[in-house]
Amino acid sequence: MRTRLPINDGWLFAEQYTQGMEQAHADESAFAVVRIPHTNRELPLNNFDERESQLVSCYRRHIRISAQTGKRVFLHFEGVMAAAKVFYNGEQIAEHLGGYTPFTCELTGLVTGGDDVVAVVADATERDDIPPFGYVIDYLTYGGIYREVWLEETAEVYLQNVHAKPINTDAGWQVETDVFLDNLTGVSVAGELRFLLSNPQGEVKQHTQNITLSGEGKQKISASFAAEDVKLWDLDEPNLYDLSIKLLQDGKEVDEYTCRIGFREARFTPEGLFLNGKRVKLRGLNRHQSYPYVGYAMPKRAQENDAELLKRELGVNLVRTSHYPQSIHFLNCCDELGLLVFEEFPGWQHIGDDTWKKNAVRMLEEMITRDWNHPSIVLWGVRINESQDDDAFYRETNALAHALDSTRQTGGVRNFEGSHFFEDVYTYNDFVHSGENRALKPR
């Protein structure tokens, strides 16, 4: 069975990186003890220069893991702004570009059981190859390892991800699942997937499907099963179900993946958004994930509090994650509260070169595959906010979103009339209102 260990305490931090800080036996006298989430520089409430946080910094942490036969070890980062190089005992094992999506490093075969050292070189400069950078953006990005970090131990064959899609068919509600297996063994053997669906009252329904592990390193297995007498996820009654998928070999459970899902139908039409067949009048706000003094580095409870403020105090029913993927804690709370979400991939007005676009497309994939089980998300933002037309680029982003998740529509916010339209939903910033004139342009 897999185990998960948060490692947010006990990190060492050097504000300014110098060559050699990433090495296993580097001098740590220049490092301070910090806790994750962490900002690379605390800033005053106002009147600061945005370049103050555009630093290259270094983080270090000592870990002690004993290698286990038949086990794999992973190191997960939820967010490092804006580029990260990860070193293990002085050897680089990963590089990730982009501060808003997670990444994973495999430590299998690297752990020694002794005093191992993880080092992260965190580059918070505005690099031309990483969205949203390359020109001017209207929000601050701060820096640091600002989201949580954890270690995970799994079997050699494990469930890497699951896309669970509640579908309302003529025969009733079905749960269609795509299960993504990671198989280090390379062996083709028979196995079993066991699906356990728990309703809000704790009642459990089970479905079992026999499978064959192909022996390939990566394998997708699709399965579906009926869900009877479901309670719908709605704005006022956001009913959530726990879905547990167990992987068995020779009758023995070797891994388990859990997620939450909601049964709901959400569709934008020319008449508006219909949720479970009822038209919803949208009242929404944009949300940034930044906070006074510490920038992006705020933990779970603060992220949840923003969702509660939007829903309960400000009375909105939709939030737009302007203009990047935001904390999983915020999205989880939106699921629990019945707060709809329009989630965008990173960007603001500027489209960069081919390398920039390639990184943007990868970030879109990372966003969707992280968040596709959230019932609160009703629209994928696949256009760089208020950007110029780029037909080939936006054909690609729309095609990718539809290929990854056929259950949701796409949108992309523009701010000029006559822009080329490839998305499912036309989303537009109407800035015509000056206070005295008519509030909206004609349709």
Side-chain angles (χ1 to χ4, degrees):
M1 295 293 294
R2 72 172 69 191
T3 57
R4 178 168 167 167
L5 176 67
I7 53 167
N8 296 310
D9 291 317
W11 285 84
L12 303 173
F13 172 69
E15 188 178 88
Q16 298 280 0
Y17 165 75
T18 57
Q19 193 70 34
M21 282 184 168
E22 74 283 359
Q23 294 304 307
H25 302 292
D27 178 11
E28 294 179 345
S29 61
F31 288 75
V33 179
V34 300
R35 188 178 192 279
I36 307 300
H38 181 259
T39 186
N40 64 353
R41 178 171 286 178
E42 290 189 19
L43 298 168
L45 182 62
N46 48 35
N47 295 326
F48 61 85
D49 190 323
E50 66 181 56
R51 291 170 294 184
E52 289 185 43
S53 63
Q54 294 176 23
L55 312 169
V56 180
S57 306
C58 187
Y59 293 82
R60 292 169 62 87
R61 195 184 193 281
H62 293 256
I63 61 175
R64 190 179 293 271
I65 309 171
S66 298
Q68 304 274 346
T69 302
K71 295 290 186 179
R72 300 171 71 176
V73 182
F74 298 92
L75 178 63
H76 295 270
F77 293 88
E78 274 297 309
V80 181
M81 182 60 67
K85 290 183 179 179
V86 182
F87 298 81
Y88 198 80
N89 291 332
E91 297 295 325
Q92 183 175 333
I93 60 172
E95 181 177 17
H96 184 262
L97 304 183
Y100 297 106
T101 48
F103 64 98
T104 300
C105 314
E106 184 158 10
L107 304 183
T108 308
L110 300 177
V111 298
T112 69
D115 183 24
D116 292 344
V117 178
V118 174
V120 181
V121 177
D123 183 355
T125 60
E126 296 191 358
R127 290 172 40 171
D128 290 348
D129 58 337
I130 302 176
F133 307 122
Y135 194 57
V136 176
I137 52 176
D138 76 337
Y139 53 92
L140 300 176
T141 56
Y142 306 98
I145 304 180
Y146 73 96
R147 290 178 182 165
E148 293 84 355
V149 185
W150 71 92
L151 288 165
E152 192 167 43
E153 186 181 73
T154 73
E156 290 183 306
V157 182
Y158 78 104
L159 306 172
Q160 186 180 50
N161 200 351
V162 172
H163 187 192
K165 297 166 283 187
I167 305 293
N168 194 7
T169 70
D170 293 339
W173 282 96
Q174 301 273 329
V175 180
E176 297 181 0
T177 61
D178 292 326
V179 179
F180 298 87
L181 293 168
D182 189 315
N183 183 358
L184 184 65
T185 66
V187 176
S188 178
V189 296
E192 180 182 290
L193 288 177
R194 188 172 295 167
F195 299 84
L196 303 173
L197 184 67
S198 303
N199 66 18
Q201 288 73 43
E203 300 168 335
V204 179
K205 295 182 179 179
Q206 179 173 308
H207 169 77
T208 300
Q209 179 161 321
N210 294 323
I211 62 170
T212 300
L213 300 179
S214 66
E216 299 176 355
K218 305 288 185 180
Q219 182 180 357
K220 182 176 83 169
I221 296 174
S222 298
S224 63
F225 57 93
E228 301 171 355
D229 302 322
V230 301
K231 292 184 179 295
L232 296 181
W233 185 95
D234 213 327
L235 298 177
D236 298 321
E237 294 186 44
N239 294 295
L240 293 169
Y241 287 69
D242 292 319
L243 177 62
S244 173
I245 302 97
K246 299 177 183 289
L247 173 64
L248 293 88
Q249 290 179 265
D250 299 324
K252 179 183 178 182
E253 184 178 331
V254 296
D255 195 27
E256 180 180 11
Y257 185 100
T258 59
C259 61
R260 290 193 308 185
I261 63 174
F263 292 86
R264 60 107 180 100
E265 289 184 297
R267 198 77 185 166
F268 289 88
T269 76
E271 288 73 42
L273 173 67
F274 284 79
L275 182 64
N276 301 325
K278 297 180 181 178
R279 186 174 182 272
V280 176
K281 180 170 181 166
L282 296 176
R283 302 181 303 278
L285 287 170
N286 298 310
R287 187 247 184 182
H288 277 294
Q289 64 179 15
S290 53
Y291 294 84
Y293 310 110
V294 296
Y296 283 169
M298 285 293 264
K300 178 175 182 286
R301 189 65 196 97
Q303 306 290 342
E304 294 171 334
N305 189 63
D306 271 8
E308 292 168 355
L309 186 151
L310 285 161
K311 173 80 176 188
R312 293 174 174 159
E313 294 190 37
L314 300 179
V316 306
N317 56 21
L318 185 142
V319 58
R320 176 182 172 211
T321 65
S322 54
H323 305 283
Y324 41 79
Q326 298 185 7
S327 166
I328 56 172
H329 305 306
F330 177 77
L331 295 175
N332 286 339
C333 197
C334 291
D335 293 338
E336 295 163 4
L337 294 171
L339 179 60
L340 302 172
V341 178
F342 169 18
E343 187 170 39
E344 297 183 299
F345 73 148
W348 192 79
Q349 295 191 349
H350 169 73
I351 300 175
D353 61 14
D354 289 343
T355 300
W356 190 100
K357 293 177 189 176
K358 182 179 178 180
N359 285 326
V361 170
R362 175 184 48 78
M363 292 175 197
L364 175 63
E365 180 173 5
E366 291 171 344
M367 177 184 80
I368 293 175
T369 55
R370 185 194 72 164
D371 294 336
W372 52 18
N373 292 328
H374 289 281
S376 58
I377 297 176
V378 293
L379 195 63
W380 297 124
V382 300
R383 183 183 176 102
I384 301 299
N385 175 64
E386 298 179 354
S387 61
Q388 69 270 31
D389 283 329
D390 190 319
D391 290 4
F393 180 42
Y394 290 136
R395 284 193 180 99
E396 183 178 5
T397 59
N398 275 275
L400 176 63
H402 289 137
L404 292 171
D405 180 21
S406 61
T407 69
R408 288 179 179 85
Q409 294 166 297
T410 61
V413 175
R414 67 264 292 148
N415 63 345
F416 63 96
E417 295 177 348
S419 66
H420 298 170
F421 179 43
F422 299 106
E423 301 81 47
D424 302 311
V425 182
Y426 189 82
T427 46
Y428 175 64
N429 282 343
D430 188 338
F431 295 127
V432 71
H433 188 47
S434 65
E436 298 177 355
N437 62 327
R438 184 182 178 92
L440 297 173
K441 293 182 179 180
R443 288 188 181 181

